[in-house]
């Protein structure tokens, strides 16, 4: 990197100027999307075209942990975060083979209080099975970062203190026991976040957390993400990425 004006004047390297907030894509389920009222599903064919689009642009999908670590080293240009919320079983069949083929990493946010269960929190639409402990370990063994989505998919901004602590801290402890590795990332269910939830997540020891549109809370513990869905063709992805770079100003510590 070229020396900045500051470092020339003082002889000391200056802190790197924060770049734009990193781009993190939000996926959920990868499979049949014919009945999908919450627009949480992309078909494997669509995901394949989206990963191919990233590659054509010289971008590569990685886990959020890898993305943040690269940026902390002053690298990370050309990396985008890929996240998959809820931990559906179709991650193993629909997403993982494509991630492997395109040499991409990803973060999978799972619910250790619903292992082998389903998306009972979504009143409409089809029930989608969630990974068992073994399924989560299989994803981890393939290099996928495993993060916490809480225990049971509760809106943390409406949770009482005891629930908030259990969802945030206990889910982390259970995940670490399950995978034998640290769980550094958290993902707010529904993307809803307030200052109290951010504080609970930080206190529980997570190094980062993903939201959707956290506004003034934006920071390492409230990262914005872009919803990527079945309608996102190459052209729409291009617009989303450009919009992100225009809208998300640099934030200290990111
Ligand atoms: Zn979710």
């Amino acid at each position: 990197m070229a020396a900045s004006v500051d470092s020339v004047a003082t002889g000391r390297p200056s802190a790197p100027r924060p770049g734009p907030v990193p781009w993190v894509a939000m996926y959920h389920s990868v499979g049949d999307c014919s009945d999908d009222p919450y627009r949480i599903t992309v078909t494997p064919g669509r995901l394949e075209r989206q990963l191919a689009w990233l590659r054509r642009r010289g971008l590569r999908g990685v886990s959020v942990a890898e993305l943040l670590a690269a940026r902390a080293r002053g690298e990370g240009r050309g990396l985008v975060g890929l996240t998959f919320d809820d931990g559906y079983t179709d991650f193993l069949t629909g997403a993982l083979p494509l991630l492997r083929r395109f040499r991409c990493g990803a973060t999978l946010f799972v619910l250790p209080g619903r292992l082998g269960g389903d998306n009972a929190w979504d009143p409409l639409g089809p029930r989608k099975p969630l990974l068992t402990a073994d399924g989560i370990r299989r994803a981890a063994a393939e290099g996928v970062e495993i993060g916490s989505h809480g225990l049971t998919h509760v809106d943390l901004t409406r949770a009482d203190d005891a629930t908030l602590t259990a969802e945030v801290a206990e889910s982390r402890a259970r995940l670490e026991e399950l995978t034998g590795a640290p769980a550094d990332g958290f993902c707010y269910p529904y993307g809803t976040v307030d200052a109290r939830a951010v504080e609970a997540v930080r206190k529980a020891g997570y190094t980062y957390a993903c939201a959707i549109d956290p506004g003034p809370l934006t920071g390492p513990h409230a990262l914005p993400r872009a919803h990527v869905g079945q309608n996102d063709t190459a052209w729409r992805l291009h617009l989303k990425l450009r919009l992100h770079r225009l809208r998300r100003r640099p934030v200290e510590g990111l």
Side-chain angles (χ1 to χ4, degrees), residues 45-228:
R46 176 61 73 193
L47 177 61
E48 180 180 7
R49 288 193 288 280
Q50 291 168 341
L51 295 177
W53 175 82
L54 288 177
R55 187 161 67 184
R56 281 200 306 278
R57 290 187 59 102
L59 299 170
R60 190 170 66 87
V62 294
S63 69
V64 180
E66 186 178 342
L67 176 65
L68 296 180
R71 289 171 61 96
R73 296 191 304 267
E75 300 164 9
R77 288 181 81 86
L79 299 183
V80 299
L82 297 181
T83 62
F84 293 80
D85 288 14
D86 302 336
Y88 295 106
T89 55
D90 60 23
F91 178 81
L92 293 179
T93 51
L96 200 51
L98 291 168
L99 293 170
R100 213 184 285 136
R101 171 136 65 87
F102 284 86
R103 298 179 191 282
C104 287
T107 303
L108 182 65
F109 291 113
V110 302
L111 296 153
R114 290 191 187 271
L115 298 176
D118 64 26
N119 57 334
W121 64 88
D122 280 337
L124 303 174
R127 297 280 68 93
K128 285 173 175 280
L130 299 171
L131 291 167
T132 61
D134 266 350
I136 293 170
R137 281 191 284 262
R138 267 182 62 196
E142 297 261 0
V144 173
E145 181 195 11
I146 308 296
S148 169
H149 199 26
L151 280 176
T152 55
H153 214 281
V154 167
D155 178 348
L156 298 182
T157 63
R158 293 157 174 260
D160 61 33
D161 287 347
T163 307
L164 178 62
T165 304
E167 290 286 329
V168 171
E170 198 185 318
S171 68
R172 181 164 195 241
R174 281 211 222 169
L175 266 192
E176 293 188 341
E177 197 175 318
L178 193 158
T179 63
D184 290 331
F186 187 82
C187 173
Y188 300 97
Y190 308 100
T192 53
V193 57
D194 57 15
R196 175 172 160 264
V198 168
E199 193 44 40
V201 165
R202 196 181 289 142
K203 234 175 82 186
Y206 294 98
T207 55
Y208 76 86
C210 288
I212 297 175
D213 210 352
L217 292 171
T218 297
H221 290 89
L223 293 165
R225 290 184 299 167
H227 171 271
V228 178

